[in-house]
Amino acid sequence: MSVSAQKRDAFFPPDWEDDERMAFLFSAFKENRDVDCTDWDGKIDFWSPLIIDHCRRCGSVCVSLQDLNESFKRKGIVPLGLSTVLQSMIRSGKVQKESDFAANVDSGWLSWGVGLLLVRPLKWTLSALLGSGRVPLEESFVVIELVKEKAAALLAAYRGSPLAARSLLSFQELRALSSHICPDESTLCMALLQLQREKHVTVSLHEGEKLVKFSQAGQGRVSPVSEVDLGIYQLQRSEKLLEERVEVLGQEAEKCKQQAKSLLKEGKKSQALRCLRGSKRVEKKADRLFAQLETVKGILDRIANSQTDRLVMQAYQAGVAALRISLKGVTVERAENLVDQIQELCDTQDEVNQTLASGALDSGEDSEELEEELKSLLEKTIPDNDVLPVVPNHPLSPPWKTGFSDADFIQSLPSVPDSNLGITDEELDRELSRLTVSDTGFLFSKCH
């Protein structure tokens, strides 16, 4: 026996090694259960849980007769009664045809094309009409117990993730979130169909993108996708794209600076200046995108606040109604009596506070100690060698009192630099000089 076969057989019950027992279980069913109900029920009770357990181990929620025949083959022999077992599981509600499971899909699913994919050929219907009762080998069945488990795990994964702050997600985002739950897109769609049945999910197609909307915690059911939902989704997607773009531009600007530093060390000053100018252009572009990002964030904050305000208004309305009910039967005399009792308790509390305060330390003495400690801390923070210059005690002459007229003084001022980036070559030189600071703190000499 191969290693894979041994590993597979390890999941089967102990009866799997009993040739006589397995010969009975692999045999065909009697034509009618009434002939021998013990024989019939014994086989059903053996195969039904085994089929469900097999699908759970495989991570699948769907199964076909062809898959089962291959998976349960023993010593080259295929079980003869699995078709009957599947029919029994259909009658008991344990499995359902895939096409029936997705029979009530809404328009959102049809826009995804899921409804068309799940419409199977009418082999089952024709065979049922002809009275054969045989299950087509390719017919796919949904194991209801397993699809409910996947749906619950998917909903828990969504609500436990940072994406729970958003009600609308793209299918690709959900696919990444549920990769450890649903091994393929087909399983994910089945889980979403189950959540739709439970009123926790609705789907739609917007500008060619598949979208999934979840019910929020505390909501009994999900609401349809609205224009507001789509607008918020577009803003959130723009926010993410802008954040990624700003980060990329920041890395690009830093790369230009490092390149300018390297070129300057090599004596290529002109090339270093070009790199530095490129860095400035990238930084300006990043600043512009960052401003747009802040605008988008501000809009999203306003939307979140408006939603919170609506909840507060609803709470106020409920509170007013509750207050109106609670005030029934309340009279002014009762209110005055309550006020008198409250005042009496407040007076007692004031007396207790005064008694406790009388034992406190003198606040003036405590303040003086704190001021002395603060003064000593300030003295310790000033370095001994940090001596401030003496403040001059004679008036300083204004700079224009030097024999120059006002017009001459203005003419003597340097001209204002004109640069596209608002940065002069001298300023770039100074920045390049700062870039040349080595690890030991001294400056590299400029190349002539």
Side-chain angles (χ1 to χ4, degrees), residues 245-259:
R245 184 59 180 158
V246 168
E247 183 178 357
V248 169
L249 289 175
Q251 294 174 355
E252 185 178 346
E254 183 62 27
K255 182 178 179 181
C256 288
K257 285 186 177 181
Q258 294 300 325
Q259 189 175 1

Side-chain angles (χ1 to χ4, degrees), residues 326-353:
S326 64
L327 286 178
K328 287 183 179 180
V330 175
T331 62
V332 176
E333 290 78 10
R334 288 184 179 179
E336 290 178 348
N337 186 25
L338 286 174
V339 170
D340 291 340
Q341 294 179 22
I342 292 172
Q343 186 61 49
E344 182 179 353
L345 291 173
C346 289
D347 293 341
T348 303
Q349 182 65 35
D350 291 340
E351 293 177 0
V352 172
N353 290 338

Side-chain angles (χ1 to χ4, degrees), residues 231-291:
I232 293 175
Y233 173 76
Q234 294 285 4
L235 284 172
Q236 290 171 336
R237 188 171 66 172
S238 299
E239 178 186 23
K240 182 179 179 180
L241 292 175
L242 285 171
E243 287 176 343
E244 293 174 353
R245 184 59 180 158
V246 168
E247 183 178 357
V248 169
L249 289 175
Q251 294 174 355
E252 185 178 346
E254 183 62 27
K255 182 178 179 181
C256 288
K257 285 186 177 181
Q258 294 300 325
Q259 189 175 1
K261 182 177 179 179
S262 300
L263 290 171
L264 186 62
K265 290 180 179 179
E266 297 173 3
K268 301 176 182 178
K269 181 177 179 181
S270 59
Q271 297 181 22
L273 288 172
R274 283 196 298 271
C275 287
L276 201 56
R277 284 195 179 93
S279 173
K280 296 300 179 183
R281 283 193 295 269
V282 173
E283 286 177 351
K284 283 197 171 184
K285 187 184 297 184
D287 291 340
R288 184 169 62 254
L289 292 181
F290 184 78

